[in-house]
Amino acid sequence: MDQFTLNLLVVGATFALYIGIAIWARAGTTAEFYAAGQGVHPVLNGMATGADWMSAASFISMAGIIALAPAGGYEQSAYLMGWTGGYVLLALLLAPYLRKFGKFTVPEFIGDRFYSKGARLVAVVCLIVISVTYVIGQMRGVGVTFSRFLEVTTDTGLYIGAAIVFAYAVLGGMKGITYTQVAQYVVLIIAYTIPAIFISLQLTGSFLPQLGLIGSYTPDGVDSGVAMLAKLDQVVTELGFKAYTSESANMLNMVLFTMSLMIGTAGLPHVIIRFFTVPKVADARSSAGWALVFIALLYTVAPAVGSMARLNLTTTMWPASATGSAFDGPAITRADIDSNPELSWIRTWEKTGLLAMSDLNGDGQIQYFAEPAATAAANRELAAAKTALAGAAAGSDLTALEAAVADATAKRDAALATDTIGGQTLAERGWVGNEVTRIDNDMMVLANPEIAALPGWVVALVAAGALAAALSTAAGLLLAISSAISHDLIKGMINPGITEKGELLAARIAMGFAIVVATYLGLNPPGFAAQVVALAFGLAAATIFPVLMMGIFSKRINKEGAIAGMLVGLVFTSVYIFIYKGWFFVPGTNMLPDTAANYVFGISPLSIGTVGAIVNFVTAYVVSSVTAAPPQAVQDLVESIRVPRGAGKAQAH
Amino acid sequence: MADRTSSNAYWAANVRIILTSLAIWFICSFGLGIILRPALKGMSVGGADLGFWFAQNGSIYVFLVLIFVYAWRMNKLDKEHGVEE
């Protein structure tokens, strides 16, 4: 059976499973549609939360981001700690109390606790901005995975994915989504760990990748006596890259970025609503723990996958580095890549464009190294000059452009003569530039089974796992959007008298509408899709998390304080991001260049959510203390959510 | 809220447990994993240093233990104060 048929079979089987579950678990009431009837076992809810939380970014991109970061893999630990540590905040500060409150949506809590439709509306706006942003990434992930493994175009893949989500999310609501996510979790975790275990066995002889990460390097089963991480640091630094374990360049920024991801995680509405589905307050606490167990299974493996895949790639490019120094032997030759069956994965991935190599100096070898700063800058300048020359109109005067190319070439040659790698100048080595011109972050996870020469069904499983990760997160986000529209906007503000049946229909229509919008945005992604993720986390951190926490832990914060806090947090965070990324992400409208030298105290726009949260807390406190205390009924509400007794079923009111 | 005094004692105890847990949460991730890493360079864990390990793996294990211990202590506290479900 060829790989394509295998992929089709495995992916088709998982899709049939999801649809089957959706038919079995279809929702009949709004309580089932919004909160799965509050009857989900905490362990199953933990699994569903894991799938909900772990998106295409966690599954496909994260290990590659860590492995290939120019500043070294250590600094990227912010993702590992940030995207797990947020669950501690959820379990301790939010989940049990919001479950006790016993309603269906995050804006509903904010509206009731701060006795204000305005506060509820601000929360709805924040929720929709955050969730829509996220959905775009998931839909792209679905399309890309389809196109890579199932030989359809990205757009066709996107339509198929949207149809599947439509079928089970509109039919089943939270109930269908929850049980589908449990299945999706199982698929994605098996798909992630099997290749990880094999690569760990190959490089460290350790069955558990977590132990392999700190184990010793044992190529071909022979213990080299060197730790895997020490070996990785040695080979990459020899080639001019920063060591994997090198220290962070800006500790303050790393702290704020990690904190931003943590409180952003705790403030994401689609994650919070998962804790409305369990039967009791005590279950909300333990369910957060179970969610983290299932998330940790992937997150503790990710740095092992990243570092080992990087080591594997580097020793493939420099065969001598597997046992000694990279320069003990020649680099890999193009002829070898083209003929050696063990290296066929390089050719496969070159075809996708995610991996690109070019024998720039024409010596028949592919030299993979980090260009020293002067060479890198000179090569960029040379490439720009060549592009300008190639793009010149026919018949026009080329003298100036040709002179520019000659000038840039001379500068580049000067750089080659002075920059050194491994004690020799690049000119002495005969190199003109790094010949691995592109390695995409996403390749590190997706190509792993092929690099480790695993059987075809593992490759198919990875495809199904990537789709499961993207679809499960998309479904959770779509539910958060649809409940905000049907429950908070329609039932809460526009038409409070709507019947149960009418609201359920409205929820389904809102869900269908959200899927159409998400599909459209997936087909025509705004150019700024990547930056918007920073905005989503920043906003969740600076608006929703502080207001929820204050609503539970303070009886004194009133409606004026909460609204002022959310608005100030929202404006402060978005303005700081816009200053560096462009107003509303329109390219060219940024007021300062997006580089570390221009950041205030070196705080990057990705990390600003933490500061936004502090600004929110302070504003809410100050404004509340000069305005009237909340009414007695609200203070009683706060008292009642602080004790578990009497949680029971949610009120459909 | 008939039993106001008891529920206040319950809440104060809850806040104490939360603060202790958050202190550990902070020390393991931001402390050992980031701020104290340079100071702990000497302590090695399989090819890297202690701070590196906490940043990439260790802090996640601590988070897990923290949540389950919190859930367990709160269940006990709920019963002691008679506010369990």
Side-chain angles (χ1 to χ4, degrees):
Chain A
M1 202 185 303
D2 67 347
Q3 186 63 49
F4 173 71
T5 322
L6 208 53
N7 291 350
L8 205 61
L9 276 180
V10 173
V11 171
T14 58
F15 278 16
L17 177 67
Y18 305 153
I19 298 289
I21 291 172
I23 293 170
W24 167 73
R26 64 193 176 279
T29 63
T30 49
E32 287 185 343
F33 194 90
Y34 294 137
Q38 272 135 339
V40 181
H41 189 274
V43 176
L44 289 186
N45 186 53
M47 263 191 207
T49 310
D52 199 331
W53 172 240
M54 290 187 285
S55 59
S58 293
F59 187 95
I60 305 175
S61 309
M62 193 173 63
I65 291 175
I66 295 171
L68 298 171
Y74 164 73
E75 203 168 68
Q76 310 305 316
S77 310
Y79 289 106
L80 299 167
M81 289 186 284
W83 283 345
T84 53
Y87 281 85
V88 177
L89 300 179
L90 266 172
L92 271 53
L93 304 177
L94 304 181
Y97 313 107
L98 295 176
R99 173 59 192 87
K100 172 65 196 296
F101 176 65
K103 300 282 178 67
F104 296 138
T105 71
V106 171
E108 190 172 16
F109 173 77
I110 293 175
D112 282 11
R113 165 62 185 83
F114 298 107
Y115 48 101
S116 153
K117 283 192 176 172
R120 190 171 181 178
L121 188 65
V122 175
V124 168
V125 171
C126 294
L127 183 153
I128 289 181
V129 172
I130 295 167
S131 305
V132 168
T133 305
Y134 249 79
V135 158
I136 302 174
Q138 306 315 315
M139 297 312 265
R140 290 305 292 172
V142 171
V144 168
T145 312
F146 260 106
S147 72
R148 211 162 300 154
F149 291 99
L150 295 169
E151 298 175 18
V152 295
T153 64
T154 308
D155 290 0
T156 313
L158 219 157
Y159 288 125
I160 301 173
I164 298 289
V165 173
F166 188 88
Y168 72 74
V170 172
L171 194 66
M174 184 58 122
K175 198 174 166 200
I177 288 173
T178 301
Y179 291 107
T180 318
Q181 281 172 336
V182 171
Q184 284 163 331
Y185 176 78
V186 175
V187 172
L188 83 85
I189 201 67
I190 294 176
Y192 201 84
T193 39
I194 288 181
I197 288 170
F198 276 97
I199 194 170
S200 176
L201 280 172
Q202 247 171 28
L203 293 186
T204 66
S206 174
F207 181 78
L208 288 177
Q210 291 92 335
L211 293 181
L213 178 70
I214 49 172
S216 69
Y217 178 56
T218 55
D220 305 315
V222 186
D223 193 336
S224 64
V226 181
M228 192 279 292
L229 286 171
K231 179 71 189 174
L232 175 61
D233 280 351
Q234 174 234 315
V235 298
V236 296
T237 46
E238 266 181 2
L239 298 170
F241 296 98
K242 254 196 143 175
Y244 182 79
T245 60
S246 34
E247 277 176 38
S248 161
N250 182 339
M251 192 186 278
L252 172 69
N253 188 53
M254 186 170 167
V255 166
L256 293 179
F257 184 40
T258 308
M259 186 67 90
S260 209
L261 294 176
M262 283 190 187
I263 56 185
T265 299
L268 285 176
H270 74 283
V271 176
I272 296 173
I273 56 173
R274 290 242 41 104
F275 296 97
F276 298 165
T277 65
V278 294
K280 294 192 298 179
V281 172
D283 295 333
R285 295 183 193 126
S286 67
S287 197
W290 285 111
L292 191 55
V293 167
F294 297 120
I295 292 167
L297 278 177
L298 190 147
Y299 273 60
T300 53
V301 168
V305 168
S307 54
M308 291 176 198
R310 178 78 192 273
L311 179 56
N312 210 346
L313 179 79
T314 315
T315 55
T316 303
M317 301 314 293
W318 292 96
S321 70
T323 48
S325 157
F327 303 128
D328 289 350
I332 195 165
T333 62
R334 186 72 242 186
D336 201 14
I337 293 174
D338 290 336
S339 60
N340 188 340
E342 273 179 32
L343 299 176
S344 67
W345 61 271
I346 296 184
R347 302 195 295 277
T348 315
W349 286 88
E350 275 185 303
K351 271 184 226 146
T352 64
L354 295 186
L355 179 66
M357 300 181 183
S358 161
D359 185 9
L360 300 170
N361 59 357
D363 64 354
Q365 301 174 3
I366 300 293
Q367 282 104 6
Y368 169 54
F369 65 99
E371 295 177 9
T375 303
N379 264 331
R380 270 197 301 275
E381 205 179 309
L382 178 59
K386 281 183 174 165
T387 314
L389 180 61
S396 61
D397 184 12
L398 299 177
T399 332
L401 292 173
E402 278 163 352
V405 170
D407 185 43
T409 310
K411 271 197 208 152
R412 201 271 308 264
D413 290 345
L416 294 178
T418 50
D419 275 339
T420 59
I421 278 195
Q424 275 184 293
T425 65
L426 298 185
E428 281 165 348
R429 290 190 183 274
W431 298 353
V432 295
N434 173 21
E435 299 182 341
V436 178
T437 48
R438 178 164 187 221
I439 310 176
D440 192 276
N441 288 336
D442 295 354
M443 208 197 89
M444 285 297 186
V445 168
L446 296 178
N448 237 343
E450 292 154 86
I451 298 175
L454 298 182
W457 61 268
V458 181
V459 178
L461 200 57
V462 169
L467 287 170
L471 289 175
S472 56
T473 308
L477 290 161
L478 291 164
L479 186 91
I481 298 170
S482 101
S483 60
I485 294 174
S486 62
H487 195 65
D488 292 311
L489 283 184
I490 298 180
K491 165 118 182 164
M493 294 177 201
I494 300 168
N495 179 11
I498 192 168
T499 62
E500 158 92 11
K501 242 177 133 184
E503 190 186 346
L504 191 58
L505 181 66
R508 289 200 156 113
I509 294 172
M511 173 82 82
F513 178 71
I515 293 174
V516 172
V517 172
T519 310
Y520 174 79
L521 290 172
L523 291 171
N524 307 289
F528 49 78
Q531 285 101 309
V532 182
V533 174
L535 185 68
F537 267 93
L539 286 190
T543 58
I544 294 186
F545 176 78
V547 90
L548 290 178
M549 197 183 149
M550 289 183 292
I552 295 161
F553 286 85
S554 161
K555 281 189 251 178
R556 187 62 186 79
I557 301 294
N558 58 17
K559 114 180 134 182
E560 290 84 359
I563 295 177
M566 275 196 285
L567 289 177
V568 171
L570 174 73
V571 171
F572 173 85
T573 306
S574 9
V575 166
Y576 191 85
I577 295 174
F578 289 156
I579 286 176
Y580 296 100
K581 304 279 186 189
W583 291 92
F584 299 96
F585 302 105
V586 176
T589 59
N590 54 322
M591 298 166 73
L592 289 167
D594 190 11
T595 55
N598 292 295
Y599 297 152
V600 180
F601 297 117
I603 302 171
S604 92
L606 292 171
S607 320
I608 200 64
T610 307
V611 186
I614 296 169
V615 171
N616 181 337
F617 277 120
V618 172
T619 310
Y621 179 79
V622 171
V623 172
S624 296
S625 51
V626 296
T627 43
Q632 191 56 42
V634 169
Q635 302 199 21
D636 289 345
L637 168 74
V638 177
E639 281 288 342
S640 90
I641 60 171
R642 287 179 178 181
V643 288
R645 173 152 287 177
K649 291 277 175 188
Q651 303 301 313
H653 62 158
Chain B
M1 284 307 115
D3 199 4
R4 203 113 201 173
T5 29
S6 155
S7 92
N8 280 343
Y10 166 78
W11 185 247
N14 177 18
V15 170
R16 259 198 315 278
I17 297 176
I18 291 176
L19 288 177
T20 324
S21 309
L22 286 184
I24 300 171
W25 164 82
F26 187 88
I27 291 169
C28 290
S29 49
F30 296 97
L32 297 174
I34 305 178
I35 299 164
L36 298 176
R37 184 182 176 208
L40 300 172
K41 263 290 186 223
M43 304 172 75
S44 78
V45 176
D49 51 283
L50 189 71
F52 174 86
W53 182 77
F54 261 99
Q56 298 228 316
N57 255 331
S59 57
I60 302 178
Y61 302 132
V62 177
F63 296 155
L64 273 175
V65 174
L66 268 179
I67 298 182
F68 282 111
V69 169
Y70 175 74
W72 172 73
R73 287 180 68 179
M74 286 308 291
N75 286 346
K76 235 174 64 175
L77 193 70
D78 289 351
K79 287 208 184 77
E80 280 167 21
H81 289 262
V83 294
E84 81 276 18
E85 294 147 274

